[in-house]
Amino acid sequence: MMSYPDSSSMKPFSSSESFSPLLTSHSISRIPKDDQTCCGGSPPESSVGSWCGRSITKVSEGAHSIVMRVIQAMQNAIHVLGSLTANTNMLAGIFRRLNGQVLAAVEQLAKLPAGTYNQLKHITGSMVGYVDTIQVATDVSYFASGRFKQDNNVNFTSRVFMAVANMGGALLWFQEMSFISLSKAASAIGDVRLFGIVPAITSSIPGIRNIASLQRVASAIGEIRVFSFIHRLNPMETIALRALTLAYVFMAVDAAQRLASHNGIEKTQAALDLSNYLSELALDALLTIGVTNVVGLGVVGAVCIATALAKFAYKASM
Amino acid sequence: MGSIDNITISKGFQVGLKAADYVADTSEPLEKLSKMIFRAADFAMAWTGKVSEPLLELSNRLKNTVVVFEGVNLFGRIKELACPNPKTGEYFFQTSSWAKCADRVFLTVAGVFKMMNAGIKFGLIQLAQLAKMSFGRIPLLRLIPDTLVAISSFFSICDNVNVVKTTGEKLATANEKAEKWSRRPALIEQVRSGNVEEITKLKSYYQGRVVSFENQLDKEMEKVKQERNVDEISKYGAALRKCHARIEMINNQEHIKLADDLAKQDVKFKQHKWSVVKGNETIGVNKAWLGIVGGVSKIFVIAVAAGMTTLGLVTTPYALSLLAIGITVDSIGFTKTMYDFIRKPQVIPTRPITLA
């Protein structure tokens, strides 16, 4: 149990006292009730003076207390930022929104130099493509290691769609760099004659090969291109985006279920998760219906980033 | 034997999957992997003499990604220095040696300069004058971070050399103890059967221990009363009494009694404990050696690159050599990161446990 430091003996950066170095909401709840009457609560009756519910005898102690709180708030922020930047999934999500919507809005509002805007767009796009490609390894690990057995059906489904989205993103990244040509691959797959062996078989059977009508039917079967629909299929980008949308749908459902069934910290976390997924779905809906207002989309993109940061910050501080 | 191989393969596969997860989810190893890939792409193009558009594009994209990762990892370094450990409440400076602290500080400052470089490169910061300044042929904004990284590597080497020394001593002690407890069951049987040679060896061993414990006790008792470690004194005292008792048993030729006394200790627990300690110290020594090799290779590559640029040696063989050394350095760094992740010290058992 971390005890809140006594302000009269407070020394910064001391390890000899047991104190809560990062002032989180969780640690605040552990502070004795008297100390929580900050900014509006009534001071203890027997104190000479009071600041934030603790009795003080000098003004300097109050100032010291403010300084300590500011330092602890900064440490909280650095801690969350440090944890965030170490998490590539979170970074990719933020960079995806920066690349997609926010940068365009900033460019329009702040009139960024064209070179800077193009470079930033290129960098954020590279980052997202690279991380999506690497995330395929996480998806493979999730399924190959059997971790999916511990997940509920909704979460599992969201992971499946996320894996499809990551794979699609990886293929698109390789296509952008001209490593592969998805259109050529689609054309090759679409031209596959799955039953091409049927005419060869029928023509080699002695009794059947002389029956002309049967040979014509076998030839027709051999010409069937089962995968020809791929020529008319939507491009990979659409598949990847739709898979991502579906992943968010199922993640939102999972978050809603957790919101309904849990209490306390888990309920708050579920609420923050849900807000993030809903903002992503809202942005996706706007893009789908064809909204082209750059600033508006930028704002929604910024909301997605903010909710992602909030959900991560809450998790990191718990 | 076939089933043991399958278990080993399965375990190895699981470790591989966990490692892949770690690399994909954490920005630091991903940054190292990116460096390895783009250097390998550049090496392949320089080696073949052909410029492949896809490889060139891949290399450029990964270079940009590395710039981003270096920028974001700076926050991780600042967090390490500015925030205390949430579990222990202690700051990095309080728990690390001066060399390690210096290493991290220089690395953090180098990170700041790299971020500044990135800002100038992408037109976010206007420091055109500073960007044009150079020391000889080397731009100042490249020389400063490289120098800081080299200094940080030097301090990292110093810290790791200290670790190798101290951990090496602990490893030697752990090896000795593990060896002692692995031979204990056989020794007990030999004492019980009255093997004169073993009993004589045992007696001289305990006599040596008596001298050692008496020296340790004298050192403690010489200290001022407030500085004496009471736990250590009682530990040495108990050990001294035990040694005297066993020497007396040997002198009185009470072999059975001595064997029973030796068998009282939980041999299996001691064997397990010291094998865990030995494993942990081995991990520590290996990590320190990887750190030394990584630091030396980093200083080497920075010196070679600076020397080449100063002398104007930008021909293909030198460029190829530099790329090859760069890939090696990054591989060592990546190996160290993965070793740190995969091989974690085990908790040392403190209570007698019943082993199957």
Side-chain angles (χ1 to χ4, degrees):
Chain A
M1 166 98 176
M2 301 281 196
S3 57
Y4 201 76
D6 175 28
S7 60
S8 59
S9 63
M10 208 183 304
K11 286 176 223 166
F13 316 125
S14 165
S15 66
S16 57
E17 304 157 357
S18 61
F19 81 107
S20 176
L22 299 179
L23 198 66
T24 62
S25 57
H26 194 57
S27 57
I28 284 174
S29 65
R30 290 179 168 186
I31 300 168
K33 282 271 183 257
D34 286 345
D35 290 8
Q36 289 183 18
T37 56
C38 182
C39 303
S42 54
E45 287 173 9
S46 57
S47 62
V48 172
S50 70
W51 180 262
C52 289
R54 284 176 284 122
S55 62
I56 52 167
T57 53
K58 295 179 194 172
V59 171
S60 59
E61 286 178 2
H64 195 211
S65 171
I66 296 172
V67 166
M68 286 309 295
R69 281 178 185 253
V70 166
I71 289 171
Q72 282 170 348
M74 280 168 61
Q75 283 180 329
N76 255 339
I78 292 169
H79 176 75
V80 168
L81 210 55
S83 305
L84 171 78
T85 52
N87 186 313
T88 50
N89 221 354
M90 274 299 305
L91 278 178
I94 289 169
F95 275 77
R96 186 174 287 114
R97 288 298 150 234
L98 278 175
N99 176 263
Q101 288 80 37
V102 176
L103 272 178
V106 167
E107 196 262 338
Q108 202 165 79
L109 291 171
K111 303 281 184 265
L112 287 175
T116 304
Y117 171 68
N118 290 334
Q119 291 234 21
L120 288 173
K121 198 100 167 103
H122 189 65
I123 297 163
T124 49
S126 300
M127 171 85 173
V128 171
Y130 177 56
V131 174
D132 278 347
T133 307
I134 297 290
Q135 288 292 320
V136 171
T138 315
D139 297 326
V140 168
S141 167
Y142 175 77
F143 293 109
S145 66
R147 269 188 291 139
F148 63 92
K149 292 176 195 165
Q150 296 155 10
D151 260 342
N152 58 48
N153 291 339
V154 174
N155 227 4
F156 171 74
T157 313
S158 72
R159 286 302 297 254
V160 167
F161 283 116
M162 191 57 88
V164 171
N166 285 335
M167 182 56 84
L171 289 172
L172 282 169
W173 194 58
F174 283 119
Q175 180 172 251
E176 278 172 21
M177 292 185 290
S178 311
F179 274 108
I180 57 171
S181 171
L182 290 173
S183 56
K184 278 186 189 166
S187 184
I189 293 169
D191 283 341
V192 163
R193 293 177 180 79
L194 200 61
F195 304 110
I197 199 166
V198 169
I201 291 171
T202 53
S203 61
S204 63
I205 297 170
I208 295 171
R209 63 178 167 218
N210 297 325
I211 306 171
S213 54
L214 203 61
Q215 287 303 315
R216 277 198 295 274
V217 169
S219 183
I221 291 170
E223 286 297 318
I224 293 173
R225 289 172 176 77
V226 177
F227 303 114
S228 61
F229 66 92
I230 286 178
H231 286 298
R232 296 184 298 275
L233 205 59
N234 280 333
M236 182 58 71
E237 189 174 351
T238 310
I239 296 173
L241 286 172
R242 291 295 152 248
L244 191 62
T245 306
L246 285 168
Y248 279 127
V249 164
F250 281 94
M251 286 197 276
V253 167
D254 179 64
Q257 286 178 344
R258 281 187 286 127
L259 184 67
S261 61
H262 287 102
N263 287 312
I265 295 169
E266 283 140 348
K267 194 180 183 89
T268 313
Q269 185 68 60
L272 289 168
D273 290 346
L274 186 61
S275 69
N276 173 234
Y277 302 141
L278 289 176
S279 58
E280 292 281 351
L281 288 169
L283 178 61
D284 196 60
L286 289 173
L287 290 167
T288 305
I289 62 176
V291 170
T292 53
N293 185 308
V294 170
V295 175
L297 288 174
V299 168
V300 180
V303 167
C304 294
I305 293 175
T307 50
L309 286 172
K311 104 177 173 197
F312 185 85
Y314 187 75
K315 202 170 183 178
S317 64
M318 285 301 117
Chain B
M1 190 66 188
S3 61
I4 293 170
D5 284 341
N6 284 340
I7 291 168
T8 312
I9 291 167
S10 168
K11 245 182 156 180
F13 184 63
Q14 294 295 331
V15 168
L17 287 175
K18 266 172 96 176
D21 252 346
Y22 172 68
V23 171
D25 281 341
T26 319
S27 52
E28 204 183 315
L30 207 54
E31 178 198 334
K32 292 183 164 83
L33 185 68
S34 320
K35 284 181 180 170
M36 281 161 59
I37 296 172
F38 88 69
R39 289 208 171 106
D42 287 346
F43 184 85
M45 285 189 289
W47 181 268
T48 56
K50 292 178 197 166
V51 174
S52 159
E53 287 298 325
L55 274 182
L56 187 66
E57 185 62 27
L58 175 69
S59 172
N60 288 336
R61 282 176 183 236
L62 287 179
K63 278 175 190 159
N64 287 337
T65 310
V66 164
V67 166
V68 171
F69 275 131
E70 281 177 346
V72 299
N73 283 336
L74 175 62
F75 292 107
R77 303 230 179 277
I78 295 172
K79 174 190 158 197
E80 193 181 29
L81 295 175
C83 298
N85 187 320
K87 289 177 194 163
T88 61
E90 287 179 317
Y91 286 86
F92 183 80
F93 297 110
Q94 292 171 306
T95 55
S96 307
S97 65
W98 66 268
K100 202 167 178 178
C101 294
D103 161 31
R104 288 295 196 274
V105 166
F106 279 104
L107 213 55
T108 306
V109 177
V112 171
F113 276 96
K114 282 182 183 175
M115 216 167 171
M116 205 192 304
N117 264 333
I120 294 171
K121 182 180 173 182
F122 301 128
L124 296 169
I125 311 173
Q126 302 302 326
L127 284 172
Q129 283 296 102
L130 192 63
K132 283 181 195 160
M133 286 165 69
S134 64
F135 184 81
R137 285 196 173 106
I138 310 172
L140 203 62
L141 284 179
R142 190 189 133 190
L143 179 67
I144 295 174
D146 283 352
T147 309
L148 290 168
V149 167
I151 296 172
S152 135
S153 300
F154 170 73
F155 283 115
S156 165
I157 293 167
C158 292
D159 175 57
N160 282 312
V161 164
N162 277 334
V163 169
V164 166
K165 229 188 273 180
T166 50
T167 314
E169 286 164 6
K170 288 181 191 170
L171 179 60
T173 309
N175 273 332
E176 198 189 300
K177 295 277 189 184
E179 172 74 18
K180 168 187 157 187
W181 289 103
S182 70
R183 283 188 289 112
R184 183 53 65 100
L187 176 69
I188 291 171
E189 288 313 308
Q190 281 168 345
V191 167
R192 203 182 291 281
S193 65
N195 186 315
V196 174
E197 195 186 330
E198 286 301 327
I199 290 168
T200 312
K201 271 190 208 167
L202 207 55
K203 184 177 176 181
S204 56
Y205 168 75
Y206 283 124
Q207 283 168 340
R209 297 292 277 167
V210 162
V211 170
S212 165
F213 287 136
E214 281 173 350
N215 286 340
Q216 299 283 357
L217 258 178
D218 289 341
K219 272 187 197 162
E220 282 298 320
M221 297 310 283
E222 276 165 14
K223 290 180 188 171
V224 174
K225 200 174 178 184
Q226 291 91 330
E227 287 175 14
R228 285 178 198 164
N229 190 330
V230 177
D231 289 337
E232 291 282 301
I233 291 170
S234 59
K235 189 177 94 177
Y236 291 135
L240 207 52
R241 282 191 293 279
K242 179 64 81 178
C243 289
H244 280 305
R246 285 182 180 168
I247 291 172
E248 204 180 317
M249 283 182 219
I250 293 171
N251 289 337
N252 295 342
Q253 298 188 346
E254 290 167 334
H255 308 137
I256 309 287
K257 194 176 171 187
L258 177 62
D260 289 341
D261 191 49
L262 287 169
K264 270 185 203 165
Q265 289 166 299
D266 189 342
V267 175
K268 282 202 164 83
F269 164 74
K270 292 283 189 182
Q271 285 173 342
H272 177 64
K273 175 189 164 181
W274 287 107
S275 80
V276 167
V277 171
K278 185 177 157 185
N280 288 350
E281 301 303 339
T282 307
I283 290 170
V285 167
N286 289 344
K287 281 184 188 176
W289 273 115
L290 277 171
I292 291 170
V293 170
V296 167
S297 54
K298 235 188 256 186
I299 292 174
F300 178 66
V301 80
I302 289 170
V304 165
M308 273 174 53
T309 311
T310 308
L311 296 170
L313 292 170
V314 287
T315 57
T316 306
Y318 287 106
L320 269 174
S321 314
L322 193 62
L323 281 169
I325 297 168
I327 294 169
T328 312
V329 169
D330 292 329
S331 308
I332 293 168
F334 186 73
T335 306
K336 182 172 184 295
T337 305
M338 295 318 296
Y339 188 81
D340 281 346
F341 170 70
I342 292 169
R343 295 300 307 273
K344 294 212 186 312
Q346 295 177 60
V347 174
I348 299 171
T350 52
R351 288 194 309 271
I353 54 171
T354 309
L355 295 177

